[in-house]
Amino acid sequence: ALRAWRPVRTPVAALARLCASGSSDEVSLGFMPSTRSGSGGPHNSFDEGTVPVILQHDLDRITLPGQVQQLHLYDTSNLSALRAAMTSSSSFMHVALDPRAVSARRVGVIAVGTECHVLGVAPSSKENVRGESSPSLKADIIGIRQQRVLELTQFEPHVRARVQPVGGDAYAEGEFDTAALERALAECTQLSESLGLDRPSAKNDDREAVQQAFASTASDPKKDSGEQAEARARVQAFRALRWLPGDRRARALQIIDVDQLFIFAFDELRTEKERLLAMKALRSVEGPEQTPEPDVRGADRP
């Protein structure tokens, strides 16, 4: 059976403020300082073994392993986390807030997030509801691998996490039917295009560019070929799931066993294909939309 979705909740930070903009790809969050952060402010020394965290409220924007996307960051905590990542290994954790915890005014994150690598940063600006602009950053990132969140701690001004890698099992190259997965994804993509439905942009779904970026940032010479095969298989499975709605993407991210991840991906693609075929059949029954002829009655009259 697929593993249950288990949120990780932290008692060391309290949610003080929560506001959102419908047109934004981020949600601004404010936190009370943790008692563990001491009185040193933003210059506190961080716990060894922790990594900076960018918290994501909108599940549709959570990064999957192998995915390239751009984050527009303007919240103080997330900007601080990005800068902390840039001054160390250029890596951070992209972690989704647990919607159930947020609705109850608690801080909680989904148990597994994505380790991401910063590919580039550009300055930008963010306009609030009053029309006032403030500095922001746009970061191009790539998802590297799943990591389990063990502990979440508020260090002023950003959140840090203690994490644990998942997977790492050795598999033989070709053990997973990635070709069949690609065919299933292509069928859904072609059906979507024939129906005129939106899909992820070509930039974000360019397999070759994603794989090159992934190889340049996530290759580990210490891994044996079996572990590398597993990592590549995970990336290909997640690539097939980027079109899913946010709650299903978050569900996929929680699946640790790579065999179960492939089963999940095939099931989702099969369900999507059935849905698209039903839509196509319904449209064929209804017939093409008729464009009304222009009313030319009396056009020759003076």
Side-chain angles (χ1 to χ4, degrees):
L2 299 181
R3 288 176 171 80
W5 174 343
R6 295 180 301 164
V8 173
R9 296 191 175 90
T10 172
V12 299
L15 186 61
R17 175 171 53 88
L18 175 62
C19 56
S21 168
S23 62
S24 168
D25 56 13
E26 283 275 320
V27 172
S28 179
L29 297 170
F31 292 92
M32 298 289 288
S34 165
T35 55
R36 296 181 58 181
S37 65
S39 58
H43 302 292
N44 290 335
S45 59
F46 302 125
D47 280 2
E48 291 184 7
T50 63
V51 294
V53 173
I54 289 180
L55 294 169
Q56 184 66 51
H57 183 277
D58 183 358
L59 294 180
D60 288 322
R61 295 290 298 167
I62 197 64
T63 309
L64 297 179
Q67 180 183 2
V68 175
Q69 70 168 336
Q70 186 178 84
L71 298 181
H72 186 191
L73 305 174
Y74 51 87
D75 169 74
T76 301
S77 175
N78 285 342
L79 287 172
S80 175
L82 178 64
R83 293 188 179 103
M86 294 294 290
T87 58
S88 55
S89 62
S90 292
S91 294
F92 66 90
M93 284 295 296
H94 199 198
V95 179
L97 287 165
D98 176 15
R100 294 168 296 183
V102 172
S103 64
R105 309 290 290 178
R106 296 191 305 266
V107 177
V109 301
I110 297 174
V112 178
T114 305
E115 178 188 343
C116 297
H117 189 88
V118 182
L119 301 176
V121 176
S124 185
S125 62
K126 168 67 179 176
E127 188 174 288
N128 62 23
V129 293
R130 296 186 296 273
E132 302 167 339
S133 295
S134 58
S136 64
L137 292 174
K138 289 187 176 181
D140 293 317
I141 66 170
I142 180 171
I144 301 300
R145 59 179 65 85
Q146 295 160 285
Q147 297 265 28
R148 186 183 298 279
V149 178
L150 301 179
E151 182 182 25
L152 192 71
T153 307
Q154 173 71 51
F155 287 93
E156 188 65 24
H158 66 265
V159 176
R160 296 183 72 89
R162 195 179 303 281
V163 297
Q164 180 183 67
V166 304
D169 297 325
Y171 287 86
E173 197 71 51
E175 186 168 344
F176 301 102
D177 197 351
T178 55
L181 195 65
E182 289 294 327
R183 288 194 298 271
L185 176 60
E187 289 176 355
C188 287
T189 301
Q190 290 170 1
L191 282 170
S192 295
E193 291 174 350
S194 68
L195 292 167
L197 302 178
D198 291 334
R199 292 304 247 186
S201 69
K203 175 184 175 182
N204 288 352
D205 202 35
D206 187 331
R207 178 175 55 178
E208 184 178 355
V210 166
Q211 288 179 336
Q212 289 177 351
F214 181 82
S216 65
T217 57
S219 58
D220 185 351
K222 296 180 180 179
K223 284 186 176 181
D224 62 34
S225 59
E227 291 175 321
Q228 292 175 0
E230 184 212 26
R232 284 191 292 270
R234 285 181 185 276
V235 169
Q236 288 178 287
F238 280 118
R239 177 179 177 270
L241 299 171
R242 288 180 209 158
W243 53 270
L244 287 176
D247 60 332
R248 301 302 291 165
R249 287 159 55 88
R251 178 69 189 86
L253 196 58
Q254 307 311 297
I255 302 174
I256 304 304
D257 184 87
V258 68
D259 296 286
Q260 293 296 324
L261 181 60
F262 264 73
I263 292 172
F264 181 87
F266 276 114
D267 285 345
E268 291 292 333
L269 289 172
R270 182 169 56 252
T271 300
E272 176 68 357
K273 181 180 177 179
E274 292 171 355
R275 184 183 74 87
L276 293 172
L277 287 173
M279 290 179 62
K280 188 174 182 179
L282 182 61
R283 289 191 182 184
S284 65
V285 170
E286 294 175 344
E289 294 184 5
Q290 299 294 326
T291 303
E293 296 183 1
D295 185 358
V296 295
R297 289 173 298 176
D300 295 331
R301 296 177 184 176

